[in-house]
Amino acid sequence: MSESVYVFLDFDNTLSDAAALRRQYVQELAYILNRDFGGETAGWEAALSPALDASQARYQATFAGNPLAGYADWLAQERVRITQEVFAAMGIAPPVGEPLGDFARRVQFEALTGCNAALPGAEEALRGLFEAGYRTQIASAWESEYLFAALIGAGIESYTESKFGGDLVNCAKEGPEFYARIFAACQIRPSQAIVVDDQAFCLDWAEETGARVIQARLMPDAPEPEFPLVLTRLTDLTPMINSLSR
């Protein structure tokens, strides 16, 4: 390779089963909150799910078509808001003596490191990229701390470098600006980047910046691919990257 090749991997439905991880995450959070604050575990689960859904809706309302709307500040406020909503739904006073944002980050880490929804072949794929000398990054709509904890839980964190969520570049993954900023953060040209994602619109944005792309089609219900290079097994990832890098 004449220059370093950086691989930018999506997380949900590219390395990890998003629906399975969501179920595990809610269960782990409910266990932690029941352990520390009482109440029924089922009650915590019932409070968590709509709060997480509402947060996702607020994310879409804020950033869809507007990726530079201040992700870092939004995230800090959102952590507090979700915590308040969940405790209010349970009729239990939120924790005192610790800022709610710090509390939310701490329990998120504990919960996610107890989860593992890695797709088959994820560890082999990341190890193969690492051994081949590629610089592997994560490029996800989740924030970096979520990604760090989830990758630890899946046992694959050590193979990756930066965990690019919107917080590291203060830009939501809602347009080509996200990719332009993460490539700049890595101090590379877009031509050095290969982006792997299941979502066609994300790959459109990456291509718009000048990156090469591979569409992941790893889930049983995945739609028909829209790009020429399609990844159907994670164990094929390193050979595909090799072929693009020649």
Side-chain angles (χ1 to χ4, degrees), residues 25-167:
Y25 181 47
V26 168
Q27 291 168 357
E28 288 291 325
L29 279 173
Y31 167 79
I32 293 165
L33 294 168
N34 165 261
R35 179 196 68 196
D36 294 346
F37 299 96
E40 296 293 330
T41 302
W44 286 110
E45 289 186 15
L48 284 160
S49 289
L52 294 174
D53 290 341
S55 178
Q56 181 61 32
R58 290 191 291 267
Y59 169 90
Q60 288 295 328
T62 303
F63 296 109
N66 191 23
L68 298 176
Y71 183 90
D73 288 343
W74 178 88
L75 177 62
Q77 296 167 10
E78 194 65 17
R79 286 181 174 132
V80 173
R81 184 169 181 175
I82 295 172
T83 304
Q84 291 171 331
E85 289 178 354
V86 169
F87 277 84
M90 287 296 292
I92 295 175
V96 296
E98 178 181 20
L100 289 186
D102 292 346
F103 168 80
R105 293 164 62 190
R106 178 171 59 80
V107 296
Q108 174 180 273
F109 181 85
E110 182 179 352
L112 284 170
T113 52
C115 300
N116 182 0
L119 292 173
E123 193 276 339
E124 181 180 344
L126 288 173
R127 176 163 38 86
L129 292 174
F130 177 80
E131 291 175 350
Y134 296 110
R135 305 286 296 276
T136 303
Q137 325 294 315
I138 304 297
S140 171
W142 292 108
E143 78 271 16
S144 60
E145 290 178 80
Y146 180 102
L147 295 166
F148 178 67
L151 289 162
I152 289 175
I156 53 178
E157 185 278 327
S158 63
Y159 297 114
T160 64
E161 296 181 351
S162 294
K163 286 72 172 167
F164 283 110
D167 57 311

Side-chain angles (χ1 to χ4, degrees), residues 138-209:
I138 304 297
S140 171
W142 292 108
E143 78 271 16
S144 60
E145 290 178 80
Y146 180 102
L147 295 166
F148 178 67
L151 289 162
I152 289 175
I156 53 178
E157 185 278 327
S158 63
Y159 297 114
T160 64
E161 296 181 351
S162 294
K163 286 72 172 167
F164 283 110
D167 57 311
L168 294 191
V169 289
N170 199 24
C171 178
K173 188 182 177 183
E174 294 294 330
E177 298 90 343
F178 174 77
Y179 291 102
R181 287 195 174 201
I182 65 176
F183 300 158
C186 291
Q187 299 182 318
I188 62 169
R189 295 183 296 277
S191 60
Q192 293 175 255
I194 299 173
V195 174
V196 185
D197 204 299
D198 64 305
Q199 297 284 357
F201 53 83
C202 294
L203 298 176
D204 285 334
W205 296 332
E207 277 197 329
E208 188 174 331
T209 69

